[in-house]
Amino acid sequence: MKRAASTSDDHDSKRVKDDAQAAPPPAAQRPVVVWIRSDLRISDNSALTRASRIAVADGNPLVVMFVVSPNEWLEHDMAAIKCRFILHCVSALRDALALLNVSFVTLTAASRRDVPQVVCDAVVRLNANRILWNIEYEIHETQRDKKVTKLLADRQIPSTACHDQCILMPGKARTKEGKVYTVFTPFKKTWITILQKDPSLYKLQPMSAPLPVASPALLETITAISTGLPTTVPQPFEAPSQELIDFADKMYPAGEANARIRLESFVKARIKGYKNDRDSPGKDLTSRLSAYLALGVISPRECLVEALNANNQKFDSGSDGAVTWISELCWRDFYKNILVEYPRVCKNQPFKLETDNVTWTTDPESPLFKAWCTGHTGYPIVDAGMRQLLAEGWMHNRVRMIVASFLTKDLGIDWRLGEKHFMRHLIDGDLASNNGGWQWAASTGTDSQPYFRIFNPTLQSEKFDPAGSYIRKFVPELKGVLGKEIHDPKGKLGLPRIAKLGYVAPIVDHKIASQAFLEAFKRGIGK
Ligand SMILES: Cc1cc2nc3c(=O)[nH]c(=O)nc-3n(C[C@H](O)[C@H](O)[C@H](O)COP(=O)(O)OP(=O)(O)OC[C@H]3O[C@@H](n4cnc5c(N)ncnc54)[C@H](O)[C@@H]3O)c2cc1C
């Protein structure tokens, strides 16, 4: 059977090409379908923009589709609180799309392997003339999309995959010799040069309107195939605690309108001071946009545009705060590039293959790992971070670095256990950034900490939480410890006092433990 063409947006000139000009003549109610995944927004959504242009030009309605796939999500270690946030953002998106004449189909898949057939069956039932989606770069997702493309091609239905997740499409920033950058600073330099040269790469793309209205027959089919959106976290997820739900509902109101409010207020009030404030977990002055960015509730290009607007369109001069924040957006692109170019990082392998022989503790039942997970290590800054993760589904970046260093270099525990624990609890869990952060801390990754640089958790605490306000917030046992003692309760107060406070003694001695790590790491890499 002849295959229908499948295309992939090459991002060469414009991110969204003008398909309308090349579109075939109008056909009766053959909808254009957009399969929404981690791009839960209307504005500046490459696939949606492109599909809307085709739909308007053809006089066909636009249908947006979402697949609820709890077993697949759990297989990928998604946190229950992130699952809940997804469902709320999908619901907000469905309501917003309805105002634009866009119908919404919710499907359900029993497992990851079922997704391609579920999607294909729905597209066929809808009598769609084509389907578009934004690319998810992880391995399973890439394989899934290949299967969907093939199933649909066998039925003469073309599919189009668009680049959307990054500000600059992965693979575009390369060395003069065409090689992949594995070090951040030169990557950033080229990233900035390319974007400065061609601002159309980050120009925000609006949807075309007004869109044709779906016929009663199409609406009937949509109702018949829609399985409905769960209103609570579905099985087999365990429901998050009520405290976590209450916190997340307040901190992360669903939908892109709320994400935009967060972005605008950050840029207005805090971006200027970001360079100085971003390393102070007690102040909590970063943007808190990561949960929205991870689900695509806001576009990274919109974040960049807002930051540039606040900085006279400058990427690398002007306000220190804006420049530093733009750099963080670039880190996000950098780690996605690494994932695309080195897919082994999706398969539990270290980026630096020479570190593969380092021996780590891999037992998830080990008491040391459990103490770390629950925030009972006896190192207050580590315990505060781990408890923030459980209480909020989020942890401040500086503290993520400290707890990751502690797990790997003080406890000698495999970074993959830490990576998994983070994914299972983070509302902003993102494979590329999480893996990048963990491998950076464990010295197995690209552009990572040198293995001999080991954070001293007490010094980190004194430097980045000098007043101890972050620790006091999350470690109530130490609330009454008012001075510098809070950073080193065992050393400064003694064991009997901390026992009386109900706090734990340190589970390892930092000096001895980090020395043991150094020796093990050197043995592993043959030094
Ligand atoms: C061990 C470890 C694990 C991490 N896991 C994740 C994760 O699963 N998901 C995630 O989004 N980030 C992760 N990060 C990166 C970073 O900690 C978070 O992006 C940041 O704390 C989110 O808070 P914010 O939105 O207030 O960030 P801001 O400081 O306001 O930064 C703005 C945006 O830039 C991006 N960004 C910032 N720092 C980084 C970074 N180091 N790497 C990649 N992107 C960055 C994020 O999208 C963030 O929302 C991890 C870092 C470490 C060290």
Side-chain angles (χ1 to χ4, degrees):
M1 190 181 269
K2 198 174 153 241
R3 292 259 162 85
S6 92
T7 54
S8 173
D9 184 347
D10 66 6
H11 243 252
D12 264 336
S13 50
K14 280 189 200 157
R15 195 161 42 80
V16 176
K17 291 182 206 141
D18 202 351
D19 295 60
Q21 286 167 6
Q29 290 279 285
R30 291 204 62 194
V32 179
V33 173
V34 175
W35 177 14
I36 292 268
R37 297 96 69 94
S38 47
D39 50 339
L40 305 178
R41 65 176 186 280
I42 292 175
S43 300
D44 193 44
N45 179 321
S46 304
L48 204 54
T49 297
R50 195 160 168 171
S52 69
R53 289 183 187 172
I54 298 168
V56 168
D58 288 1
N60 276 319
L62 184 60
V63 174
V64 166
M65 198 165 84
F66 181 77
V67 183
V68 179
S69 187
N71 285 305
E72 177 190 15
W73 295 345
L74 206 56
E75 191 190 328
H76 289 159
D77 295 318
M78 185 187 285
I81 198 67
K82 180 176 168 187
C83 170
R84 189 169 185 279
F85 189 48
I86 289 177
L87 297 176
H88 287 194
C89 288
V90 170
S91 168
L93 176 63
R94 182 184 55 190
D95 295 348
L97 285 167
L99 301 175
L100 302 172
N101 287 342
V102 180
S103 306
F104 202 92
V105 178
T106 312
L107 305 167
T108 303
S111 76
R112 175 163 65 83
R113 282 176 186 77
D114 292 333
V115 174
Q117 196 61 55
V118 166
V119 169
C120 176
D121 290 348
V123 169
V124 170
R125 283 282 302 275
L126 290 166
N127 192 27
N129 79 26
R130 66 168 75 197
I131 181 169
L132 298 91
W133 60 70
N134 289 317
I135 300 171
E136 292 184 310
Y137 298 105
E138 294 84 355
I139 279 190
H140 283 161
E141 285 72 1
T142 314
Q143 290 166 347
R144 172 200 65 197
D145 290 353
K146 263 193 193 146
K147 281 189 193 142
V148 176
T149 301
K150 184 182 176 312
L151 285 171
L152 290 172
D154 288 345
R155 293 178 169 266
Q156 307 290 305
I157 302 171
S159 51
T160 303
C162 304
H163 287 283
D164 182 75
Q165 273 192 359
C166 295
I167 293 172
L168 185 64
M169 177 187 142
K172 280 281 165 190
R174 287 182 177 272
T175 66
K176 281 196 184 97
E177 296 75 37
K179 290 198 179 131
V180 177
Y181 283 112
T182 54
V183 176
F184 176 70
T185 306
F187 171 84
K188 185 174 88 174
K189 220 172 143 211
T190 304
W191 184 85
I192 290 177
T193 306
I194 294 173
L195 292 169
Q196 276 175 330
K197 240 191 223 160
D198 186 359
S200 78
L201 291 171
Y202 57 88
K203 187 167 178 253
L204 306 185
Q205 306 282 347
M207 259 176 83
S208 284
L211 283 153
V213 180
S215 67
L218 178 60
L219 290 175
E220 219 170 87
T221 309
I222 287 171
T223 309
I225 63 174
S226 271
T227 52
L229 193 64
T231 49
T232 54
V233 172
Q235 295 283 350
F237 281 96
E238 272 177 38
S241 70
Q242 195 53 49
E243 290 79 8
L244 178 52
I245 287 176
D246 292 344
F247 176 84
D249 284 353
K250 222 162 116 202
M251 177 57 85
Y252 301 106
E256 67 180 288
N258 286 311
R260 189 157 302 114
I261 291 170
R262 172 74 45 88
L263 171 64
E264 285 168 1
S265 68
F266 170 75
V267 169
K268 197 167 161 207
R270 298 197 228 148
I271 201 168
K272 260 200 190 114
Y274 179 77
K275 184 166 193 266
N276 292 328
D277 296 334
R278 75 193 172 116
D279 264 330
S280 305
K283 291 191 190 154
D284 199 8
L285 289 173
T286 61
S287 71
R288 288 258 193 175
L289 276 164
S290 52
Y292 296 101
L293 278 162
L295 300 187
V297 183
I298 195 149
S299 120
R301 291 168 295 277
E302 185 166 347
C303 294
L304 175 67
V305 166
E306 281 291 325
L308 289 172
N309 287 346
N311 195 34
N312 292 322
Q313 305 307 315
K314 299 223 163 16
F315 281 79
D316 47 4
S317 60
S319 144
D320 280 355
V323 168
T324 309
W325 199 66
I326 290 169
S327 198
E328 298 306 329
L329 296 174
C330 182
W331 269 106
R332 184 178 171 278
D333 270 20
F334 176 66
Y335 282 138
K336 294 252 185 236
N337 263 262
I338 293 295
L339 183 141
V340 170
E341 303 284 356
Y342 299 91
R344 65 170 176 267
V345 301
C346 290
K347 295 195 234 165
N348 286 319
Q349 286 173 21
F351 174 83
K352 282 187 186 144
L353 292 172
E354 68 272 23
T355 63
D356 209 14
N357 290 329
V358 174
T359 310
W360 308 93
T361 302
T362 54
D363 178 10
E365 298 304 319
S366 91
L368 290 183
F369 182 60
K370 294 222 149 145
W372 178 83
C373 289
T374 57
H376 289 87
T377 66
Y379 285 88
I381 190 76
V382 174
D383 294 341
M386 297 311 295
R387 294 188 202 184
Q388 181 179 31
L389 178 62
L390 299 181
E392 300 188 357
W394 185 87
M395 194 193 298
H396 188 279
N397 181 60
R398 168 55 52 181
V399 193
R400 291 188 203 205
M401 288 154 66
I402 297 171
V403 304
S405 174
F406 186 81
L407 183 80
T408 52
K409 295 183 174 173
D410 282 64
L411 303 183
I413 292 177
D414 197 324
W415 55 271
R416 284 158 280 227
L417 287 187
E419 182 192 15
K420 195 180 179 80
H421 180 76
F422 264 36
M423 278 308 268
R424 289 197 161 181
H425 292 277
L426 281 172
I427 194 165
D428 67 13
D430 170 78
L431 200 160
S433 296
N434 194 38
N435 183 276
W438 272 97
Q439 295 221 45
W440 179 88
S443 300
T444 61
T446 167
D447 203 6
S448 54
Q449 282 266 74
Y451 68 90
F452 45 82
R453 256 208 87 199
I454 300 178
F455 282 160
N456 177 323
T458 308
L459 296 183
Q460 288 282 314
S461 183
E462 286 171 1
K463 186 166 176 194
F464 295 109
D465 187 29
S469 55
Y470 178 74
I471 294 173
R472 265 179 224 104
K473 181 168 177 193
F474 292 104
V475 186
E477 302 96 294
L478 300 177
K479 234 182 183 149
V481 180
L482 297 179
K484 295 270 169 215
E485 293 87 350
I486 197 155
H487 304 293
D488 179 17
K490 184 202 157 207
K492 297 284 165 25
L493 303 174
L495 283 176
R497 245 322 274 287
I498 60 171
K500 219 166 154 198
L501 292 169
Y503 191 55
V504 281
I507 54 173
V508 288
D509 177 294
H510 169 68
K511 220 169 163 190
I512 299 170
S514 49
Q515 195 52 43
F517 162 79
L518 271 182
E519 279 155 26
F521 198 96
K522 279 200 266 184
R523 257 197 318 277
I525 58 172
K527 279 212 172 168

